[in-house]
Structure formats: structure tokens, C-alpha cells
Amino acid sequence: MAPGKRIFARNRIYAELSASMQEHIAERTEELMAEGMTRKEAEQAARREFGNVALIEQRSREVWQWGFPESLWADLKFACRHMVRSPRFTLVATVTLAIGIGAQTAMYSVVHAVLIDPFPYRGAMRMVHLHLYDKEPFPQDLALNGAQFAEFEKSPALDGAIAEDVYTMALTSGELPEQLQVGRLSPNAFAYFGVPAELGRGFAPADSPRVAVLSYGFWKSHYAGSADAVGEPLELDRKIYTIVGVMPPRFAWLGSDVYVPLPYSADPSHIANVYARLRAGMSDTTAEQALEPMLDQFAKQTPGNFPQRFKVHLVHMNEVAIGRFRGVLVILFLSVSCLLLLACVNVAILLLARGEARLGEIAMRKALGAPRRRIVAQLLTESVLLSLAGGCLGVFLAYGGVRLVRHFLVQLPTLFPPEANIALNLPVLAFSLAVATLTGTLSGLWPAIRISRAELRCAADAGTQRLAGKRGTQGVHGLLLASQSAIAILLLACSGATVSRLSQLLHEALGFDPENLASVNLVLREGSHDRWADRIAYYEQIRQAVASDPNVVSAAIGSLPPTILDATPVSIPALQAATGEAVAEQVSSEYFSTLRIPLLNGRVWSAAETSHAARLALVSESMRRRYWPNSNPIGQTLVLNNGRALGTEWKLVAPGDDQRFLVIGIVGDTPNQGLEEPVSPAVYIPYTMTPYDGFDVVFRARGDAAGLLHSIKEDVYRVDAGQAVGAAVTAADLLDGSLGRDRFVASLFTAFALLGLAFAISGLYCTQSFLVTHRTRELGIRLALGARRWNIVHLVTKTACFAVMSGAVIGLALDFALGRVFADWTGGDSRNPEMLGAILLILLAASALASIAPAASAIRVAPMEALRME
């Protein structure tokens, strides 16, 4: 270091000593003098304590190398001045980054709420559901009686367990009974969850069975959020319960309205489902191996509650709640990350263009002795400041985005846990700050490094415009444009696939008429109508009461499509090799006329036949095609459920246990696996075979079906004053719910794709405009020497066109490589050739439009004005 520079740096360091430091040195000097030192000795000792001379020398060298302590503040002030002097550049860059950061933050809010922190329960990520697998394709939930649960809870593999079931009860304190979902939990449940009550408390071991805890939503809707609700009576099924507490908004276990103690008893046949929390550090495999001997012993005690041969499998709570939606969220998060990357590339193009225009300034700085790292630091400070400004604006955009996403997801309660709180919380804001900083670094690092290489001779060329046409600069711009095009192609392909799938589902043949069609659910009071004949007569009374309503066209017992139904084993004795699975739906004879499902052949059973437990069946057209492709199934016999009566463990069944059914007709297909999956073969049998404790009444109204709920409640009340009726669900609502996930995914992908295309086109426009502006002199000379306008257009656009085409090829290759993963997670086909051809045309057309204005500017250059610019 030159002596003059070293002295200057040292003087600046000494000047940085604050007045308070000088005061401390003076005080310490006085103390040392009191101990017997001379003033000179005391002052030197005090200075050594507060500022060693060697350290000052080292600090002076560091400061000259890296800049003075106030260099960062100076960089920030310089960056702010540059942003103010270039308002259009600042606005474009900030808005671009704000859109990318805002979309990323909004999507991360969903991922954080649904995947990372979905539940408010203690140790939620260790809470598991226990499935028992045997040779059947569908698992059986673990259910234990009271004695078994007490032993299970003490397992060393577990950090706690609860027993639960959910039941429908009637709120009988109003004018008409109201159907409520009641969660029955073991007394230790609220201590297990570790969630404090909003008001009052949870269950205590000494509580009587007649206490109740309200959910937050029920408390708000029925008690207007009054604190006086605690201690009030609550009448359920004509029995009085005392309210002891209200849970907070995020407590939504079982989706219940009310929670009451589980009435476990010494009866070994009284069982309930079990949830558990693994001990910290315990793997799933180790826990399964530790629990299997205990469960094998339980199976020997109560063989009817367990499969004959089974393996236990632990399923974490979030997997049960989210399932396939996890993959959708992951791929959406990756897509929005691509959008943010596009924004970074776009800003990098802008920074590179502005940096090329500042090469003279950068070269002058280097000529005056500024080291390269200081120049990089200055340029990075400018880009990070831009990104932080974009991040602040992005947070406001993310707030609106989160509200929009939440509006979508609220309509899809089956896709994510109701406990999830999708909001801009502290972890999300911290993520947003980190993303903004990283974005500024990514978008500014390459331009800063490249621009800092400016040669000293560039200072002499500060007034020229030759640098923009350098091959290296064009190559960098081409690489950035190619990356933008590749990402845009990927986003457009994903968007096209999801939109195409949604369109296909919207135009799918339903096989029934959904107009003015709805259903209501009814659940019997526990222990009522426990004889088969009595229950059948009661159900028919309810159906006739609904059908006799003057605003109802017809009513039937059965489920409303497109409900997802489980399959059951089916075999056909006449076709010895024909065994498989089919959906067995239990319906009344009026079901087909009410839903307007076409009868293709044969007949429907009569009420007299079903009242005498006649074992008759209708098969769907898909069932006929699978098992009788070249023959008529009418008159054939089929066997359901391997010959065992459905629900013999806990339901009433028709007299006899014969599961052989005579096929008497063929009906059209209806969606029985939702709209997203192909229709499964279906068998329709009379609902009287297994009259469950709850049933649905499907009805077709003369007008608005949902508006008939109160009238139907009154109809049922006249039959049974204690029977509650659930909410009316219309076929249109079910169809919208089945399409909800696809609508959500298609909407987000389309938004991401359009923004990505806009970013790619704006990047192309900025690059072309920059090249034209900084090659004005060259273009003017070419025109003066007789160059044709077409040659000028070709010169200006050829590099960009090659970059866009190269990026499109790379994007198509990536799409083909990742298309199968995308199809598995979303169901859309992103590799459709026709769709990809259309996307390629869209990108090329948009690129051509983005190049028109710069090309027009290039051919309008006046040669004399261009020559005078020097």
C-alpha cells in the first residue's frame, strides 16, 4: 500500500473513535494515574486497552482493501440515487420481482400451512393411524375394546394414544331437530392433543359422561361467541349435556361440531378406533415390529375384530388428510419457483443491459484504483436493494394471492386438513425476506461479475456505442433468452395439460340428469329401529314423506353421484374364470327413475319383492362389457362379497345370509369413483339387504332443490319428531367439488404460464430494444452504405430468434423428460403433440410481436443523426 494511502486510512480509523470512547480513555487514564502511573504512561496503557496500535494498522489495511466502515451505507445511498434517476428501469425491475416473489410467497404460505405445519396438536408429525392389511385390497382400521386400549396405551413404542369414534346426533332443543356430527373421545384426548381450550376446559378423568366441549364454529353459530356458553345445558338426542369448554378455531379433530366422552365399557364387543403418537426418535418400521405381538394377542382375544392374517402399517396423519394433494402442491411450488427464476432472468437482462451502458463509469472507477470486489459489491447492493423493494411490494401481492388461494381451498375441504391456517405468518414472512435477498443475489451476481471485468481502455470509449454489438454480450443475452423460453414452454405445457384435463372432465358423460337433484342424509338415533322389518318400514315412511312434498317430483334411497364408492369382490358361477371386483350400490327401486338413469334392458325390482328380501340385482353397462361382452347377463347369477352377508359384524341384514343375486336388468353407467377416475363396474341391489344406521334420500325438485331443506325437515318431523335431517347436498355441488382440485390446479398453472410468457416476452423486448439503442451508429452506417431494411431486421432479430428457438427445444425436451411425473401428480398429459405444437406457435407469435417495435426502430434510424451521435 502506498504511504500516502496508508496514512489516509489510518487517519480515518482514528477519526472513527467516538466521543464516548475518548471519554472512556480519559477516565481509565485518571484511574491508572491514581494507581501511581505518570500521565504519559497511563494514557498509553489506556489507549492499548481500548485500541491497540497493531490492530489499528491491520484495520487500516482492511479498510483500504474493502472500503471504509461506511462503504455499505455509501453503496446504499448511491444505489438509491441510481434508482431515482432511472424510474422506468426501477419500476419495471421492481414490479417484475414483486410478481415473482409475491407468487412464491403465496404458494409457500399454502405449502407451509398444508405440508409443514398443518396441525396445532402436540407432536402432530408423530401422530399415526393404524391400518391392518390382509389379502383384501382395502385396509381395516385398528379398533380396540376398553381393556385392549388400556394395554395398548402403555406400549413403550408410543408417546400416547386416544380412542375415538364419530357419530351423528340430533340437537333437539330447537323447533326442528338439527343433525350434528359428534366426536366421542377417550377422557385423555384433550391432554393428548395439548391444545388449550378457547374457553373453559377439556375433559377431565372425573367428568361424568354427560359433559360436552364445543367446536369453535358451532360456538360461533349457535352461541354468537358468548362466554356465557360454558356451563349451559346442551340437549342431544333428548339427553342433557353440560358444556365445559370451547376449543380454538384450529382444533377441528374429526370435523365434529361437539365432543363428548367416549362411553367405553367392560363389554369386549364395544370397540373404537385408535390414534397414537410415536415416541420421539422411533421409526415407523421399529414401531410396527414392536406393536405386532400385542395386536396378535388382541386378535386371539377378539378374532371378529381383526382380519385372519394381517400386517400392521402406520400411516401418518398428514398422509391420511392430504394424500395425493401433496404431489399437486409440490409441483405447484416447483412451478412458481420457475416463475421466480424467470423474474430473476428478466431482471438479470435489465441489469446486464444497464451495466453495459455503464461500462465507461466502471472502467473509470477501476482506473482510479477501485478493486474489482468493491465494484461487484456496489452492483450487488443495487440488485439486492431492488429485490428488497420488490419483496416488500411482493408481500402485499402475496396477501391478495393468499386470500385468493384460500377462497379456492375453502371450497375443497376434502383436499387439505381443516386445521390448516393459510396465512402470511412469521415463518412465511421470513421466507419472503430470504427469497428477496437470494433473488437479488441471483439476478445481480452474473451481471455484476461480468460488468466488473471492464477493461481500462473502456474509459476512453465511454462516449462510443460499440460495446453492445460485441459477440460476448450477444451470447450472454442469447443464453438468458433461451433459459426464459425453456421455462415458459414448461409452464405453458403444464397449463395446457391441466386445462385440457379440466375441459375433458367438464364434458364427461354423466349418465344421469343433475338438474334440480339433491340428497339429504339421515342417521338413526342410537339403538332405535333395531329390527330388520321395523327399520325397512321406517325407511319407506321417510322416503314416502319426502316424495309426497308438493315441491318434489320423486324421491329414492341411495347415494348421489359422483360419490366415490369402495369395490367388493364379485364372482359369477356360470363364468368360472370371471372373478373380480365391482361397486355394490344399495338403492330403492325408485332410484333409477329419480336420477333418470336409463334402463337399457330388463326390469327393476318391485317394492313387494324388496320387502320380502328378494335377492335381485341390476348391473351397469360397464359391468356387462367386462363380464358378459358377448352374451346377455339377464338371468345369470352373481355372488357378492365372497358369499358373506354385508355388514354382519354390526349391521342388520335381510333374513338369510345368501349373497347370490339374480340379474334382472342392465342400466347405464354413472360416475362412482368421482369424475377424475374411470367408471368402475357396478351392481345395484335393494337397500333392504343391509339397512344401515344412516341412509341418503335422493330427490328431484320442481325448482331449487337446496331451498327445500326446511320443508323436508318438516315432512320428516311429521313422521318422527326426534329424527334429524342433514344439510341438502345438490348434484351440482358434488360435481363442482369433484372438479375443484382440477379447477384449482388449472387456474394456478394458467396464471403462472401467462406470467411466465409475459416475463419471457418482456425480456426479449428489453434485449432487442437495448441492442437497437446501443447499435444506432452501426445501423445508421449500414443504412448509409445501402443495406436493405430486411437485412437490418434480420441483423437485429437473428440472435434473439435463435435463442428463443433453442430455448423452446430445451423446454420441449424437459417437458418430455418430466411429463410422466407431472401426469402421476396431477393427471394431466403435458406431452400431447397437438397441444405442444399450439404452445410453440403461441411462443413464436408472441416473440414476433415483441420484436416488431425494436425492429421498426432499427429501420427508422437516420444515418446522419446516427453519425452525429459521436
Side-chain angles (χ1 to χ4, degrees):
M1 183 187 298
K5 295 178 181 178
R6 187 181 298 112
I7 293 170
F8 180 61
R10 187 186 297 114
N11 291 338
R12 288 298 299 268
I13 293 299
Y14 278 118
E16 289 176 1
L17 292 174
S18 64
S20 61
M21 182 69 75
Q22 296 288 358
E23 291 175 4
H24 287 308
I25 291 175
E27 291 175 1
R28 182 60 177 158
T29 300
E30 295 295 333
E31 292 174 1
L32 293 175
M33 287 176 63
E35 295 176 3
M37 289 186 180
T38 65
R39 174 174 290 279
K40 184 176 181 180
E41 292 173 342
E43 186 174 358
Q44 289 177 347
R47 285 188 176 277
R48 279 196 300 272
E49 290 183 18
F50 288 96
N52 190 282
V53 174
L55 293 178
I56 292 177
E57 288 287 349
Q58 178 183 352
R59 176 65 177 144
S60 65
R61 288 194 297 270
E62 292 175 354
V63 167
W64 180 254
Q65 185 175 5
W66 294 99
F68 297 115
E70 71 271 14
S71 61
L72 178 60
W73 176 243
D75 287 348
L76 288 173
K77 290 193 293 184
F78 185 78
C80 290
R81 287 198 300 270
H82 257 273
M83 291 172 65
V84 171
R85 283 202 296 262
S86 308
R88 285 191 300 176
F89 169 84
T90 302
L91 180 63
V92 172
T94 303
V95 171
T96 300
L97 291 174
I99 293 173
I101 294 172
Q104 184 84 3
T105 302
M107 201 64 233
Y108 180 75
S109 301
V110 179
V111 171
H112 182 272
V114 177
L115 298 183
I116 299 175
D117 184 28
F119 302 105
Y121 314 123
R122 179 168 59 89
M125 293 298 104
R126 293 183 282 121
M127 293 174 68
V128 294
H129 198 53
L130 291 91
H131 285 170
L132 306 179
Y133 279 89
D134 62 354
K135 62 181 181 180
E136 298 292 341
F138 301 102
Q140 178 177 328
D141 293 337
L142 175 65
L144 303 176
N145 60 35
Q148 292 171 340
F149 173 72
E151 184 179 348
F152 176 83
E153 191 180 7
K154 298 174 184 176
S155 170
L158 304 179
D159 184 29
I162 59 168
E164 61 170 38
D165 66 21
V166 61
Y167 204 77
T168 300
M169 301 180 73
L171 179 65
T172 50
S173 55
E175 178 185 357
L176 294 172
E178 180 182 350
Q179 185 171 287
L180 300 182
Q181 186 159 303
V182 178
R184 301 195 286 194
L185 306 175
S186 52
N188 67 327
F190 290 103
Y192 168 87
F193 290 124
V195 179
E198 185 85 4
L199 288 176
R201 60 176 177 84
F203 300 150
D207 280 337
S208 73
R210 297 290 180 83
V211 296
V213 174
L214 307 183
S215 70
Y216 188 86
F218 183 82
W219 174 58
K220 282 288 189 180
S221 61
H222 289 71
Y223 292 89
S226 172
D228 296 334
V230 176
E232 289 291 312
L234 181 71
E235 186 177 315
L236 300 175
D237 285 348
R238 306 295 187 190
K239 298 175 183 177
I240 301 299
Y241 292 76
T242 302
I243 300 172
V244 297
V246 177
M247 297 309 293
R250 289 189 66 189
F251 189 94
W253 190 259
L254 300 175
S256 297
D257 301 302
V258 178
Y259 301 93
V260 300
L262 177 67
Y264 251 152
S265 66
D267 184 359
S269 64
H270 186 190
I271 60 176
N273 291 336
V274 172
Y275 248 98
R277 182 172 53 238
L278 299 183
R279 193 169 296 280
M282 178 75 66
S283 69
D284 291 2
T285 303
T286 305
E288 289 168 359
Q289 294 173 350
L291 292 172
E292 275 187 359
M294 180 190 300
L295 299 182
D296 288 337
Q297 186 63 33
F298 292 164
K300 294 176 182 177
Q301 298 171 1
T302 55
N305 298 337
F306 291 83
Q308 290 185 352
R309 295 180 181 179
F310 64 89
K311 288 287 185 181
V312 63
H313 179 61
L314 304 182
V315 181
H316 284 263
M317 188 166 62
N318 211 15
E319 296 178 28
V320 177
I322 297 172
R324 189 178 172 189
F325 196 56
R326 178 191 301 272
V328 173
L329 288 182
V330 170
I331 201 167
L332 282 172
F333 186 75
L334 293 177
S335 300
V336 80
S337 299
C338 289
L339 183 67
L340 180 60
L341 183 60
L342 266 174
C344 290
V345 173
N346 210 322
V347 174
I349 290 174
L350 295 174
L351 289 172
L352 188 61
R354 190 173 72 158
E356 294 285 346
R358 293 172 61 187
L359 281 177
E361 170 199 337
I362 301 302
M364 184 66 71
R365 286 171 178 264
K366 294 183 71 174
L368 294 176
R372 186 179 175 189
R373 60 174 61 92
R374 282 291 296 116
I375 295 173
V376 172
Q378 169 64 53
L379 296 175
L380 270 181
T381 301
E382 295 178 18
S383 61
V384 171
L385 187 63
L386 272 176
S387 67
L388 290 176
C392 293
L393 180 58
V395 168
F396 287 100
L397 296 179
Y399 178 76
V402 166
R403 294 188 63 181
L404 185 62
V405 170
R406 192 163 54 215
H407 172 74
F408 266 105
L409 291 181
V410 164
Q411 303 175 34
L412 308 173
T414 59
L415 292 184
F416 70 103
E419 294 93 339
N421 180 30
I422 303 173
L424 290 178
N425 48 32
L426 285 178
V428 172
L429 292 177
F431 172 83
S432 178
L433 178 62
V435 166
T437 305
L438 181 63
T439 298
T441 305
L442 287 178
S443 60
L445 186 59
W446 188 9
I449 292 174
R450 179 171 179 79
I451 295 164
S452 66
R453 294 175 181 170
E455 301 174 3
L456 296 180
R457 64 180 178 82
C458 294
D461 295 336
T464 69
Q465 298 180 15
R466 300 171 188 168
L467 297 173
K470 291 175 64 176
R471 187 176 299 276
T473 302
Q474 292 185 5
V476 172
H477 282 145
L479 183 60
L480 293 175
L481 289 177
S483 63
Q484 280 195 321
S485 300
I487 297 172
I489 283 286
L490 269 180
L491 292 177
L492 286 169
C494 292
S495 172
T498 54
V499 171
S500 175
R501 175 173 172 77
L502 178 61
S503 176
Q504 179 184 355
L505 293 177
L506 285 171
H507 294 89
E508 193 77 26
L510 297 177
F512 71 100
D513 182 6
E515 186 176 1
N516 298 328
L517 191 66
S519 71
V520 291
N521 176 258
L522 295 92
V523 177
L524 300 182
R525 295 187 302 279
E526 195 167 12
S528 64
H529 303 286
D530 55 358
R531 291 183 300 116
W532 182 81
D534 178 36
R535 183 168 294 188
I536 294 301
Y538 180 72
Y539 283 6
E540 181 59 22
Q541 278 184 292
I542 298 292
R543 189 201 66 79
Q544 289 181 0
V546 175
S548 63
D549 190 290
N551 294 309
V552 172
V553 177
S554 61
I557 294 175
S559 60
L560 185 63
T563 306
I564 299 177
L565 302 172
D566 293 335
T568 189
V570 61
S571 59
I572 304 167
L575 307 174
Q576 297 180 1
T579 58
E581 292 182 343
V583 169
E585 295 194 54
Q586 301 193 94
V587 300
S588 66
S589 57
E590 301 82 7
Y591 183 79
F592 307 99
S593 60
T594 300
L595 271 69
R596 296 174 183 168
I597 299 174
L599 178 65
L600 304 179
N601 199 359
R603 67 179 182 88
V604 179
W605 56 79
S606 66
E609 288 173 322
T610 56
S611 64
H612 291 87
R615 285 166 169 76
L616 306 175
L618 284 80
V619 297
S620 67
E621 176 63 15
S622 60
M623 179 85 172
R624 183 202 65 79
R625 286 196 303 268
R626 174 173 295 188
Y627 295 105
W628 296 277
N630 301 312
S631 60
N632 190 349
I634 296 178
Q636 297 283 320
T637 299
L638 54 83
V639 180
L640 295 179
N641 202 37
N642 294 325
R644 292 176 295 166
L646 295 174
T648 53
E649 296 86 359
W650 61 288
K651 298 294 183 186
L652 294 179
V653 294
D657 58 0
D658 183 15
Q659 290 296 292
R660 299 169 66 89
F661 293 85
L662 178 67
V663 179
I664 62 172
I666 305 170
V667 295
D669 287 328
T670 59
N672 49 29
Q673 299 299 314
L675 294 179
E676 298 181 348
E677 301 296 333
V679 174
S680 294
V683 178
Y684 296 92
I685 61 176
Y687 77 94
T688 54
M689 293 295 102
T690 309
Y692 294 110
D693 295 340
F695 64 103
D696 292 337
V697 175
V698 183
F699 62 93
R700 185 174 298 279
R702 302 187 189 279
D704 178 25
L708 291 182
L709 179 60
H710 187 77
S711 177
I712 288 175
K713 284 185 176 182
E714 292 177 335
D715 297 332
V716 173
Y717 184 82
R718 286 190 286 270
V719 175
D720 182 354
Q723 178 63 58
V725 179
V729 178
T730 66
D733 290 339
L734 275 180
L735 291 172
D736 285 343
S738 296
L739 296 173
R741 189 190 75 129
D742 293 276
R743 278 201 179 99
F744 173 73
V745 174
S747 299
L748 286 187
F749 266 122
T750 301
F752 297 160
L754 292 177
L755 287 173
L757 182 62
F759 285 166
I761 299 310
S762 65
L764 176 62
Y765 174 81
C766 291
T767 300
Q768 297 289 78
S769 298
F770 163 74
L771 291 175
V772 170
T773 301
H774 289 273
R775 297 178 72 177
T776 301
R777 183 172 180 271
E778 174 195 346
L779 297 176
I781 293 174
R782 288 178 180 271
L783 287 171
L785 294 177
R788 296 179 180 177
R789 296 181 184 273
W790 169 250
N791 293 333
I792 298 297
V793 172
H794 178 261
L795 179 68
V796 171
T797 59
K798 65 178 182 179
T799 303
C801 290
F802 178 76
V804 170
M805 290 301 298
S806 301
V809 171
I810 295 172
L812 291 175
L814 290 173
D815 177 61
F816 272 93
L818 303 174
R820 184 170 295 277
V821 176
F822 180 82
D824 290 341
W825 282 355
T826 66
D829 181 14
S830 64
R831 297 185 289 186
N832 184 288
E834 296 179 359
M835 179 192 69
L836 292 177
I839 288 172
L840 191 58
L841 289 176
I842 290 173
L843 180 64
L844 293 178
S847 301
L849 288 174
S851 301
I852 287 176
S857 299
I859 63 178
R860 287 199 302 265
V861 172
M864 294 306 297
E865 292 181 7
L867 293 174
R868 291 194 190 102
M869 293 181 68
E870 298 295 328

